[in-house]
Amino acid sequence: MNVIITKDKVEAGKKAFELVEKAIHNDASVLGLATGSTPETLYKEMRASNTDYSNLISINLDEYKGLPADHPQSYHTFMQENLFNAKPFKKSFIPDGLGDEEDEVKRYNKTIEEYPIDLQILGIGTNAHIGFNEPGTSFLQETHVEKLTEATINANKRYFKSEEDVPKYAFSMGIKSILSAKKILLMAFGENKAEAVYNMLNGPITEQVPASILQTHNDVTVIIDEAAASKL
Ligand SMILES: N[C@@H]1[C@@H](O)[C@H](O)[C@@H](COP(=O)(O)O)O[C@@H]1O
């Protein structure tokens, strides 16, 4: 994996933006997008750019199960506010949090098959989850409903009024689907990601460390700040 260490997340966002631009220039037409605080600086660069995304397709990694699209903490709302309001895509796909489980899983797998992802943006959880694929999830999983771990609920409660308000389940693209992307760009910032980053890059490849499977992909760039790199 190609590892780039930056001073901070602002510099990382600029570097990530350069890679996104390069991929689009080289004919990437389907972007796999992520939510959470990590991609915010990248999306800021994308919003401020002159690039037109209206011919591209976007496919998001995940959505909380049970949240309507217009809920303030839904990933639909996050994407509208952070990117799509300013930069609409030709088509954008995000799992429907209120969708019937079986239908939604089928629909999403079909979407990923129809629009193979050229460049997948990823963050990483403190327990090394990617998308919402928690430790223990099979590397062979496609889209599914994942039960969130205490660590993830705890990390994400900052966005909700209280811990009880954090959804306990989420629709997530599976690891198999993530690995099918031609290129992967993972970002991580802050001391609390340092151990996950270390395990992803240097640890054994194990379903207990979902991001460790990225060691088997042939085109992964990891952009981290100095704090996230502090255990390397
Ligand atoms: N499903 C998302 C992930 O896609 C994200 O990478 C992770 C880290 O979040 P943050 O970027 O806010 O640290 O948390 C969430 O659980």
Side-chain angles (χ1 to χ4, degrees), residues 111-195:
T111 300
I112 299 163
E113 212 176 287
E114 191 177 342
Y115 300 107
I117 297 171
D118 292 303
L119 171 64
Q120 176 66 56
I121 309 295
L122 291 177
I124 184 170
T126 50
N127 61 5
H129 74 248
I130 45 178
F132 264 130
N133 294 283
E134 298 279 29
T137 307
S138 164
F139 286 151
L140 302 176
Q141 272 277 15
E142 295 186 308
T143 308
H144 62 286
V145 169
E146 182 84 19
K147 185 176 193 321
L148 305 185
T149 61
E150 273 309 309
T152 298
I153 291 171
N154 201 31
N156 291 356
K157 72 178 181 202
R158 66 191 195 276
Y159 294 111
F160 292 83
K161 271 198 221 101
S162 74
E163 194 166 328
E164 289 97 78
D165 293 331
V166 187
K168 307 295 180 281
Y169 292 87
F171 285 100
S172 181
M173 203 187 270
I175 305 250
K176 189 174 169 200
S177 327
I178 292 173
L179 285 180
S180 72
K182 284 195 203 113
K183 276 179 175 301
I184 295 179
L185 167 54
L186 183 144
M187 289 181 283
F189 310 129
E191 177 86 52
N192 66 338
K193 299 289 174 73
E195 195 178 337

Side-chain angles (χ1 to χ4, degrees), residues 20-151:
V20 171
E21 289 282 284
K22 194 169 160 203
I24 295 172
H25 187 75
N26 290 331
D27 287 338
S29 60
V30 182
L31 302 187
L33 299 178
T35 49
S37 57
T38 304
E40 282 175 3
T41 52
L42 164 62
Y43 295 155
K44 189 169 178 201
E45 296 293 328
M46 290 171 77
R47 289 197 306 270
S49 74
N50 294 323
T51 309
D52 175 21
Y53 298 92
S54 66
N55 283 322
L56 305 187
I57 305 288
S58 71
I59 305 185
N60 263 77
L61 282 168
D62 44 19
E63 177 59 285
Y64 288 116
K65 187 166 177 357
L67 290 196
D70 63 357
H71 188 283
Q73 304 311 335
S74 76
Y75 286 167
H76 280 80
T77 301
F78 176 95
M79 290 310 303
Q80 287 301 336
E81 289 174 352
N82 281 276
L83 191 59
F84 299 151
N85 286 343
K87 294 285 184 185
F89 281 59
K90 184 169 159 195
K91 271 191 183 168
S92 287
F93 297 94
I94 304 180
D96 174 2
L98 296 183
D100 170 80
E101 188 169 329
E102 208 176 305
D103 292 350
E104 196 51 19
V105 162
K106 264 195 216 144
R107 180 187 78 97
Y108 222 62
N109 283 334
K110 220 171 131 226
T111 300
I112 299 163
E113 212 176 287
E114 191 177 342
Y115 300 107
I117 297 171
D118 292 303
L119 171 64
Q120 176 66 56
I121 309 295
L122 291 177
I124 184 170
T126 50
N127 61 5
H129 74 248
I130 45 178
F132 264 130
N133 294 283
E134 298 279 29
T137 307
S138 164
F139 286 151
L140 302 176
Q141 272 277 15
E142 295 186 308
T143 308
H144 62 286
V145 169
E146 182 84 19
K147 185 176 193 321
L148 305 185
T149 61
E150 273 309 309

